[in-house]
Amino acid sequence: MKPKLLAVLVVLVVLPSIPFVPGIISRHSSPPITARYINNRREGNRILVSLNVTNHSTRTYATGMKSLEFRNGTNWETLCQFRVLDGFCHLRPHGSELCDFDLTNFPTATTLRLKIWVAKRAKGPEEFFLKLETCLKNRTLYFYKNPTETFSNRRDEIISEEFSL
């Protein structure tokens, strides 16, 4: 190939595609959310546990408790599963929420961690198609303004820091 033709090919084909390369090859990263153990207090045979869930980004996220796990040797085993809306909250950009739950008749020398599901607020075409899907499911002709319907269907998991009671 002639050098001038190669230069024209690079200018017309390769250079315009450079801005799209990071989006094509980028891998999924975990959400910038942390869950830190705050404290616990005992009331009779119940233990009330508090964790602080913090959003370190400029996006809004929906979060909820998924499961509580305990350490068994080097493995983690599920102690209990939570319902989808247990501990549900909206984390505003750079915001935080307290996540409280209680345990009953639980041994205090166990190391625990909490799994939390996280969904990023949908924007642009994704938000439009999620709202459209909701309309079609509910057989309505208008969009709902409920903010929980505009969060992505893809849910990531984060794991709290380990704690003992």
Side-chain angles (χ1 to χ4, degrees), residues 60-160:
T60 300
Y61 285 85
T63 65
M65 296 185 295
K66 183 175 181 179
S67 64
L68 184 65
E69 297 180 336
F70 69 97
R71 188 194 312 257
N72 186 4
T74 58
N75 298 326
W76 288 94
E77 295 184 20
T78 301
L79 178 67
C80 65
Q81 299 275 344
F82 294 100
R83 293 174 298 194
V84 173
L85 293 179
D86 282 345
F88 178 81
C89 68
H90 287 164
L91 280 176
R92 301 284 176 219
H94 302 290
S96 66
E97 293 282 337
L98 278 178
C99 177
D100 297 321
F101 60 96
D102 62 324
L103 302 169
T104 55
N105 299 322
F106 193 75
T108 58
T110 306
T111 302
L112 302 169
R113 69 182 186 183
L114 182 67
K115 277 192 175 178
I116 299 172
W117 62 263
V118 177
K120 188 185 295 186
R121 181 161 192 146
K123 286 187 174 179
E126 182 185 18
E127 180 181 23
F128 172 78
F129 286 111
L130 284 171
K131 287 183 176 183
L132 182 62
E133 180 184 356
T134 302
C135 289
L136 294 174
K137 269 192 227 174
N138 296 328
R139 296 187 175 124
T140 62
L141 298 175
Y142 58 92
F143 285 165
Y144 290 103
K145 294 184 179 181
N146 184 348
T148 60
E149 294 171 356
T150 58
F151 285 89
S152 174
N153 288 333
R154 193 179 92 221
R155 291 186 176 169
D156 297 318
E157 273 183 14
I158 61 167
I159 298 174
S160 74

